């Protein structure tokens, strides 16, 4: 069932970071800066959003995960639409999946120790990160955020992360709960993509050309 929420929700994943480029797990790492490719992705999303909005229109609300990579991306996007990123509200509930003991380690190192940890067809973890989160926990915190802020009037721009944004999109578009993940998870999009969700219907605002690990 889709959620009946007012306004349009523009949802984007942050641009590529140094950890993405190196194949390392970020999770709750606060400051993993964008690469040059990441800044270019953010710039392209901002340009795409400006074209989509047209006539100098701006979202009524700016939201971001509190992590540096999301805030850097937000700053670049806001420059393109003539908005002040300092007015953005930050919320921990918009953060990425907590990868627990995997944080900071490379995918290759972890896979060498315990076998493949990814469902490659879905681009999702196939096992729960040790001391980390699972998708139903992400869905619970994002549902809490929607309950508190989703009914605010006006358009909302939300900069967050790869896996958590897929859960938010799944919640808002009525994706069925997959038993393996225990949560509704929308399809993966290339890094540097932005969508708009209105009345439960998702529209691509900008489709990125690149992809890197979450």
């Amino acid at each position: 069932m889709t959620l009946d929420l007012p306004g349009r929700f523009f949802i984007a994943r942050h641009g590529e970071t140094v950890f993405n480029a190196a194949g390392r797990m970020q999770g709750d790492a606060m400051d993993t800066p964008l690469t040059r490719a990441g800044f270019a992705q953010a710039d392209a999303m901002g340009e795409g959003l400006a074209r989509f909005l047209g006539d100098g229109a701006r979202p009524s609300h700016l939201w971001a995960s509190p992590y540096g990579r999301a805030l850097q991306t937000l700053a670049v996007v806001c420059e393109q639409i003539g908005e002040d990123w300092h007015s953005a509200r930050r919320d921990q509930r918009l953060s990425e999946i907590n990868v627990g003991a995997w944080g900071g380690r490379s995918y290759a190192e972890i896979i060498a120790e315990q076998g493949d940890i990814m469902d490659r067809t879905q681009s999702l973890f196939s096992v729960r990160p040790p001391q980390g989160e699972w998708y139903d926990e992400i869905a619970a915190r994002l549902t809490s955020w929607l309950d508190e802020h989703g009914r605010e009037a006006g358009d909302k721009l939300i900069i967050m992360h790869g896996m958590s944004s897929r859960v938010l999109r799944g919640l808002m578009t009525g994706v069925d709960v997959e038993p393996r993940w225990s949560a509704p998870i929308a399809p993966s999009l290339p890094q540097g993509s932005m969508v708009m969700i209105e009345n439960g219907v998702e529209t691509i605002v900008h489709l990125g050309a690149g992809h890197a690990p979450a």
Side-chain angles (χ1 to χ4, degrees), residues 23 105-113:
R105 302 183 67 197
S106 71
Y107 282 78
E109 179 184 15
I110 296 165
I111 290 170
E113 284 183 0

Side-chain angles (χ1 to χ4, degrees), residues 13-195:
R13 174 186 176 182
H14 62 78
E16 181 191 75
T17 71
V18 293
F19 270 41
N20 292 145
R24 290 191 175 277
M25 298 256 188
Q26 289 175 113
D28 59 355
M30 283 299 296
D31 296 307
T32 53
L34 300 185
T35 61
R36 286 183 295 172
F39 279 109
Q41 289 168 350
D43 206 41
M45 285 192 289
E47 289 179 352
L49 178 58
R51 286 194 301 270
F52 191 94
L53 292 171
D55 299 325
R58 302 173 184 175
S60 301
H61 308 279
L62 304 178
W63 284 96
S65 158
Y67 297 111
R69 54 198 187 269
L71 296 172
Q72 281 186 304
T73 302
L74 175 66
V76 175
V77 172
C78 282
E79 185 176 355
Q80 287 284 359
I81 61 174
E83 188 58 90
D84 179 7
W85 80 278
H86 287 93
S87 65
R89 286 177 281 179
R90 309 175 189 186
D91 199 303
Q92 186 69 32
R93 290 171 291 185
L94 300 174
S95 63
E96 182 58 301
I97 185 170
N98 184 333
V99 295
W102 290 346
R105 302 183 67 197
S106 71
Y107 282 78
E109 179 184 15
I110 296 165
I111 290 170
E113 284 183 0
Q114 61 184 78
D116 205 351
I117 57 172
M118 301 295 296
D119 181 324
R120 305 291 172 177
T121 64
Q122 300 294 325
S123 298
L124 294 168
F125 291 129
S126 56
V127 295
R128 180 182 180 130
Q131 295 89 54
E133 270 187 314
W134 199 236
Y135 300 104
D136 55 339
E137 294 168 295
I138 300 174
R141 57 177 161 87
L142 290 173
T143 297
S144 170
W145 181 83
L146 285 168
D147 288 344
E148 185 174 350
H149 300 291
R151 298 194 180 280
E152 295 172 349
D155 293 342
K156 304 160 190 70
L157 171 61
I158 306 159
I159 308 294
M160 46 193 306
H161 304 266
M163 291 189 181
S164 58
S165 66
R166 291 177 63 183
V167 176
L168 181 60
R169 291 166 50 220
L171 288 167
M172 296 188 68
T173 59
V175 172
D176 291 336
V177 173
E178 164 62 54
R180 286 184 298 167
W181 322 124
S182 302
I185 304 179
S188 179
L189 291 172
Q191 190 163 37
S193 298
M194 179 184 290
V195 304

